[in-house]
Amino acid sequence: MSPKKRITMHDHAAEASLFKRRALFTFFSVFALLSVLVVNLYHLQVESYKDYATRSNDNRIRVVPIAPSRGLIYDRNGVLLAENLPFYSLDLVPEKISNMSETLDELGKLIEISEDERETFTEALKFHRRFKPLTLKNQLTEEQVAIFSVNQHLFPGITVEAGLKRNYPFGPQITHVLGYVGKINTRDRAQLERSDLWKNYAATKDIGKQGVEKFYESLLHGKPGHLEEEVNNRGRAIRTLRIVPPEPGQDIYLTLDLKLQQKAVELLNGLRGSIVAIDPRDGGVLAMVSSPSYDPNQFVQGINNKDYSALLNDKSRPLINRATQGQYAPASTIKPHLALLGLDEKAITEHTRVWDPGFWQIPGVERKYRDWKRWGHGWVNVYNAITESCDTFFYELAYKVGVDHIARFMEQFGFGQNTGIDIFEESAGNMPSKEWKRLKYNQAWYIGDTISVGIGQGYWTATPLQLANAVGIMANKGRRFPPHLLRSVKNNTTTVDSPINELPPIELKNARNWNIINEAMRQTAHKSRFTDAPYTAAMKTGTAQVIGVAENTKYDASKIAEHFRDNALVVAYAPFEDPKIVISVVMENAGWGGANAGPVARAILDEYMLRDTWKTTP
């Protein structure tokens, strides 16, 4: 028989006490949580009201940057050289297009899109932020704009945008001075970000790439403005709240004389070479031509691969600025400077005479260094050594003074260093010395090297700009004004002239030596190309070997490939009494300097000196 179950007796008092404790705990927990919620609501709705209200406004207010108009560029006489013209482009916002390939196909049925344009767009798309518009096609015609506008509802995320594009009305004539603007690439952006300037380009797609456009980018670009507009949840504009207008870029005036520039272009006529003209009174560049050239307008909206490859592969190298980057042996154009050194070092005097039998020899050495005149010039002094360009005279002079003296003296005239002109595309050329050759080639310097330097050959190279600058210092009798292109800047209604930078002058031991050399250059001019000129001028010609010729071999241009023939050079200035223009002319592979570059120099000086305007030019 199973035992009976016991009846459990409940302790009602204990259970009631436990219930009360649990109820109180639950109540206080709920109260605490409600208190936290109330405190948070108070913080959000009262204490942080302004902060969150501002954030809410940001969500419904869109800020659209407004691009500034780029400053204009004029020549010294107010002729417009770089302008801004209206254009239309087709822009796409990638994130708003579900099928890019299909969209481009459909779009191509309305507006012609070339394979090159499509390829360029597709490549740019890989590195582009999807929420920002990207240009597919530039320079839409009015007809294309009308066709797309009618069908725009079929292409969400694609719009026609109006803007201003840079235009260079004189095209290739001034390319290497002005440079051009082009699309901002990743390298440009990285540089702008490093300089903390990227925010100024929020609405801008272009930036200066070469020449004046690049050097004075900070003046020409301006500052962006912005538009604040209220938008709905779909991003559609409801109303405009505020407009902060952009600050346009400043207009700049160059020292360039367009008529003189065009005359120089005409004289070179597409031949390889350069003409540089400078006002020696302040260093202002009057003309700076590099030939052949190219049309900068090709780069403004983005040059296609075919055209760019053609420029890169052109054997005449039109992309190179020969005026500032072309490095040529200065040849006999520097003989006046070498003669000045000889006088200053007392290695020669005004009356020193040297016998020229048509060659010169280093004492104790059998090799003969030939004069250009095979039968020689006979007895020559410093005057006819310059007027007749006697090589023998300068062989001996170089031998006496040595290459290191030559290098130190010539560096004062700017050889072997940048002139400091206000464009970035410049080469320093080369002013050789014993130390330079040791560092460059780990070789000793030989006397024969010095002899070659004595006639502006060998390792010595200079740019046409350096030659013009050096002859300007000679014409100024030691006063030095670095070449520059900026004349003045126009800010709103005020025009501010660019300050003139003058370097310490070259001081000779005997200042009369300036007169001796300049007189020799005057005689050179008026015994040749300027015999009948209605003004006085000074000049020196040069013929630079491109390749060496064996000692007993006669130079015959007809038997040498065209690109190995001699370069023709001239430096000159006028008027002799009070120089207002100095020039250098370099014509590649043109042959004899006096015969080929001389007429060009005369025509340039005639263009400038026989007009009335130069007399009033400050």
Side-chain angles (χ1 to χ4, degrees):
M1 193 174 168
S2 61
K4 293 182 179 179
K5 293 183 179 179
R6 288 186 181 183
I7 301 173
T8 304
M9 299 298 291
H10 293 281
D11 188 345
H12 295 288
E15 289 180 353
S17 176
L18 177 62
F19 175 80
K20 288 181 180 179
R21 289 196 302 272
R22 289 177 176 175
L24 286 173
F25 177 78
T26 302
F27 172 79
F28 283 114
S29 296
V30 171
F31 179 78
L33 291 173
L34 287 173
S35 298
V36 170
L37 180 61
V38 170
V39 169
N40 276 333
L41 286 173
Y42 178 82
H43 174 73
L44 292 172
Q45 304 249 351
V46 179
E47 292 184 352
S48 301
Y49 169 78
K50 291 184 179 180
D51 180 45
Y52 286 100
T54 301
R55 294 188 187 184
S56 175
N57 286 337
D58 284 343
N59 288 334
R60 64 183 177 86
I61 297 175
R62 180 168 60 195
V63 178
V64 181
I66 305 174
S69 59
R70 194 170 181 85
L72 306 179
I73 303 177
Y74 299 87
D75 87 333
R76 70 191 296 119
N77 299 310
V79 179
L80 186 60
L81 305 178
E83 60 187 355
N84 301 316
L85 297 179
F87 77 99
Y88 296 97
S89 66
L90 198 61
D91 289 8
L92 290 76
V93 179
E95 70 174 3
K96 293 184 178 181
I97 299 173
S98 56
N99 190 322
M100 183 64 72
S101 180
E102 183 180 327
T103 300
L104 293 179
D105 290 339
E106 291 298 318
L107 193 58
K109 296 176 182 178
L110 295 177
I111 299 174
E112 181 184 356
I113 300 173
S114 68
E115 285 298 324
D116 193 68
E117 287 174 329
R118 184 161 179 166
E119 181 181 339
T120 302
F121 173 80
T122 304
E123 188 65 26
L125 190 60
K126 297 176 183 177
F127 308 97
H128 189 75
R129 295 184 178 181
R130 293 187 58 80
F131 60 87
K132 297 191 71 175
L134 179 63
T135 299
L136 170 63
K137 186 177 180 66
N138 282 305
Q139 302 184 64
L140 296 176
T141 64
E142 292 185 3
E143 181 182 357
Q144 289 173 327
V145 172
I147 291 173
F148 179 78
S149 298
V150 172
N151 296 277
Q152 186 171 4
H153 64 283
L154 300 174
F155 299 94
I158 304 179
T159 57
V160 171
E161 298 294 332
L164 294 174
K165 70 171 182 177
R166 202 60 153 178
N167 182 62
Y168 304 100
F170 298 100
Q173 295 179 344
I174 325 177
T175 298
H176 293 98
V177 175
L178 297 184
Y180 57 86
V181 299
K183 300 301 177 186
I184 296 175
N185 56 33
T186 52
R187 185 189 306 170
D188 297 324
R189 175 167 180 169
Q191 186 173 355
L192 290 170
E193 288 177 343
R194 285 195 299 269
S195 305
D196 198 27
L197 295 173
W198 176 241
K199 59 185 177 182
N200 290 336
Y201 290 79
T204 307
K205 300 177 182 178
D206 300 324
I207 193 171
K209 296 283 188 176
Q210 296 280 339
V212 168
E213 290 277 26
K214 181 176 182 179
F215 196 92
Y216 290 110
E217 172 69 20
S218 60
L219 294 178
L220 294 166
H221 177 256
K223 295 182 179 179
H226 65 269
L227 165 70
E228 295 179 7
E229 58 184 11
E230 187 175 359
V231 297
N232 60 20
N233 59 353
R234 294 186 178 181
R236 186 180 297 275
I238 299 173
R239 62 189 175 111
T240 299
L241 301 177
R242 187 167 71 122
I243 297 178
V244 177
E247 294 182 21
Q250 299 178 68
D251 297 342
I252 64 175
Y253 289 78
L254 303 183
T255 59
L256 209 68
D257 184 312
L258 178 63
K259 288 185 177 180
L260 193 66
Q261 178 85 2
Q262 291 176 320
K263 183 66 176 179
V265 171
E266 174 191 333
L267 290 167
L268 285 177
N269 194 29
L271 298 173
R272 297 188 304 276
S274 173
I275 296 176
V276 176
I278 297 176
D279 186 337
R281 297 170 295 177
D282 60 9
V285 176
L286 299 170
M288 190 169 74
V289 174
S290 175
S291 177
S293 186
Y294 60 94
D295 188 353
N297 293 303
Q298 291 179 284
F299 288 84
V300 174
Q301 294 295 331
I303 188 170
N304 61 55
N305 293 331
K306 180 181 178 182
D307 291 341
Y308 187 58
S309 295
L311 288 173
L312 280 177
N313 298 323
D314 191 331
K315 293 181 179 179
S316 62
R317 304 173 71 194
L319 295 175
I320 298 295
N321 185 352
R322 284 172 162 81
T324 59
Q325 295 175 303
Q327 300 184 53
Y328 307 92
S332 297
T333 60
I334 48 77
K335 285 178 178 176
H337 297 80
L338 285 165
L340 184 66
L341 168 62
L343 292 171
D344 198 49
E345 291 293 320
K346 297 183 180 180
I348 59 173
T349 69
E350 182 180 2
H351 307 291
T352 297
R353 299 172 70 205
V354 172
W355 174 252
D356 174 23
F359 62 88
W360 184 86
Q361 293 174 284
I362 299 172
V365 177
E366 186 176 343
R367 178 184 173 180
K368 295 179 179 180
Y369 291 86
R370 296 178 303 178
D371 191 281
W372 68 266
K373 196 173 185 179
R374 300 184 72 86
W375 52 88
H377 296 84
W379 287 105
V380 292
N381 58 24
V382 68
Y383 290 102
N384 50 20
I386 291 175
T387 58
E388 298 178 28
S389 200
C390 176
D391 291 336
T392 299
F393 184 93
F394 291 96
Y395 289 147
E396 181 161 328
L397 177 57
Y399 177 75
K400 287 181 178 179
V401 298
V403 70
D404 287 335
H405 277 84
I406 294 173
R408 284 193 294 270
F409 189 75
M410 293 302 167
E411 284 172 358
Q412 298 180 90
F413 288 88
F415 291 108
Q417 54 195 297
N418 291 336
T419 64
I421 191 171
D422 38 356
I423 58 175
F424 292 112
E425 303 80 46
E426 184 179 16
S427 298
N430 185 50
M431 187 65 246
S433 64
K434 293 178 181 178
E435 182 182 7
W436 168 84
K437 189 178 180 183
R438 182 177 56 81
L439 293 174
K440 178 75 173 178
Y441 298 107
N442 194 26
Q443 294 178 359
W445 184 272
Y446 302 106
I447 294 178
D449 296 330
T450 301
I451 304 309
S452 295
V453 168
I455 58 169
Q457 295 277 175
Y459 296 113
W460 192 348
T461 61
T463 67
L465 180 65
Q466 287 176 325
L467 292 176
N469 181 50
V471 77
I473 296 172
M474 181 70 76
N476 275 336
K477 299 179 181 179
R479 293 187 68 187
R480 301 186 294 174
F481 298 93
H484 64 275
L485 287 161
L486 183 65
R487 192 179 191 207
S488 60
V489 178
K490 185 177 181 181
N491 188 356
N492 295 327
T493 57
T494 304
T495 300
V496 180
D497 291 337
S498 177
I500 297 174
N501 179 25
E502 182 173 3
L503 300 177
I506 297 174
E507 296 184 0
L508 301 180
K509 297 170 185 176
N510 185 350
R512 183 176 175 275
N513 291 335
W514 293 111
N515 298 332
I516 295 172
I517 302 303
N518 280 290
E519 171 59 21
M521 293 182 70
R522 185 197 68 79
Q523 292 179 18
T524 303
H526 290 277
K527 285 182 179 179
S528 56
R529 292 293 166 185
F530 293 86
T531 303
D532 60 344
Y535 54 88
T536 52
M539 71 178 291
K540 183 69 189 79
T541 61
T543 305
Q545 288 184 347
V546 176
I547 58 172
V549 179
E551 183 176 347
N552 296 314
T553 303
K554 184 178 180 180
Y555 175 82
D556 187 349
S558 64
K559 296 180 180 179
I560 300 175
E562 190 268 344
H563 60 283
F564 288 140
R565 295 173 188 169
D566 293 346
N567 295 330
L569 303 91
V570 167
V571 293
Y573 65 87
F576 175 77
E577 300 80 9
D578 183 19
K580 293 177 174 61
I581 179 174
V582 299
I583 65 169
S584 69
V585 179
V586 177
M587 301 174 68
E588 293 182 14
N589 314 120
W592 195 255
N596 297 289
V600 174
R602 170 65 189 270
I604 285 289
L605 291 185
D606 280 355
E607 167 67 26
Y608 193 72
M609 294 299 299
L610 300 184
R611 62 167 72 161
D612 294 329
T613 55
W614 74 266
K615 297 177 182 178
T616 59
T617 301

